[in-house]
Amino acid sequence: GLKCYFAEKNWKADYKEDVLRFLAHLKDEAKVGTFSVDVSEIMNQDWNMKWEESIVPIEVTDNIAIKPSWKEYNGNAKIVIEIDPKMSFGTGHHETTRMMVKFLEKHMKGGEKILDVGTGTGVLAIAAVKLGASRCIAVDRDDWSIDNSVENIRKNGVQEKVHVIRGEVASIDEEEFDIVVANLNRNTLLYIEPELRKRCKTG
């Protein structure tokens, strides 16, 4: 399906007819089967409040939970990471974030030096330190992410062990890390893979 949104002032009733004609043309060419077009009005509301209501504490593992700063966590996890996500990615609700946290918990023994590429909210850097990392470099090129990660790192009391850098992997002077994590999209990962491998001791 396809959803399109228009500001009310930009909507014209003719648009629906245009779409119907287009889809009928595609059907004649056997490019689509049956179809329907529905138009409804969405009333304006406090979308930020609605979004905040949808973000709840989440237990990533038995030992680790991630909670938004505006919600209480009443579970049994020993490590509770508090995140105020704002405009950055990384609340624990996305599967890849949870996978990365589980990866860190599984492979860390304590005392590691970690590189977190594309840190977003800083959640992986925070998790790494709380799991025993001696030091973590967190890098991102997005200004929102830099400001947000610094705030969350301080909120979780790990600022002495996490150094946040604005830039790319190439901006980092240090050459070798015990573990490199990069919660990024596939194309970006493929592009920077050679640089990531160079930075990881195990390759």
Side-chain angles (χ1 to χ4, degrees), residues 28-70:
D28 290 341
E29 294 182 348
K31 293 180 179 178
V32 299
T34 58
F35 61 84
S36 63
V37 176
D38 299 309
V39 177
S40 59
E41 183 177 358
I42 301 174
M43 301 305 294
N44 198 16
Q45 53 187 301
D46 188 338
W47 297 109
N48 190 60
M49 183 180 71
K50 297 291 287 185
W51 172 76
E52 287 188 354
E53 289 174 354
S54 72
I55 304 297
V56 296
I58 184 168
E59 290 185 340
V60 181
T61 69
D62 291 340
N63 189 45
I64 304 171
I66 301 172
K67 77 174 209 66
S69 58
W70 58 88

Side-chain angles (χ1 to χ4, degrees), residues 14-126:
D14 292 347
Y15 290 167
K16 180 178 180 179
E17 298 305 317
D18 291 342
V19 172
L20 286 168
R21 281 193 294 272
F22 176 69
L23 290 171
H25 179 69
L26 292 180
K27 186 176 181 180
D28 290 341
E29 294 182 348
K31 293 180 179 178
V32 299
T34 58
F35 61 84
S36 63
V37 176
D38 299 309
V39 177
S40 59
E41 183 177 358
I42 301 174
M43 301 305 294
N44 198 16
Q45 53 187 301
D46 188 338
W47 297 109
N48 190 60
M49 183 180 71
K50 297 291 287 185
W51 172 76
E52 287 188 354
E53 289 174 354
S54 72
I55 304 297
V56 296
I58 184 168
E59 290 185 340
V60 181
T61 69
D62 291 340
N63 189 45
I64 304 171
I66 301 172
K67 77 174 209 66
S69 58
W70 58 88
K71 292 282 179 73
E72 293 295 323
Y73 171 71
N74 299 309
N76 297 317
K78 294 179 181 178
I79 297 175
V80 180
I81 300 170
E82 183 173 312
I83 295 294
D84 186 353
K86 296 186 177 177
M87 297 286 286
S88 305
F89 175 83
T91 62
H93 286 75
H94 197 277
E95 186 175 357
T96 58
T97 304
R98 298 195 300 274
M99 287 170 60
M100 301 294 265
V101 173
K102 290 175 182 177
F103 170 86
L104 288 171
E105 184 181 51
K106 179 179 179 180
H107 294 284
M108 287 185 60
K109 306 300 181 185
E112 292 90 349
K113 185 166 69 171
I114 309 292
L115 173 60
D116 176 17
V117 181
T119 193
T121 61
V123 64
L124 297 181
I126 296 165

Side-chain angles (χ1 to χ4, degrees), residues 153-188:
I153 287 162
R154 288 174 179 163
K155 189 185 298 288
N156 286 273
V158 295
Q159 64 272 20
E160 297 301 320
K161 293 186 177 181
V162 181
H163 179 48
V164 181
I165 296 175
R166 179 185 279 101
E168 312 280 346
V169 180
S171 307
I172 303 165
D173 293 331
E174 296 179 58
E175 293 294 330
E176 287 192 338
F177 295 83
D178 298 298
I179 296 177
V180 175
V181 290
N183 191 10
L184 301 166
N185 66 63
R186 179 177 182 273
N187 288 340
T188 302

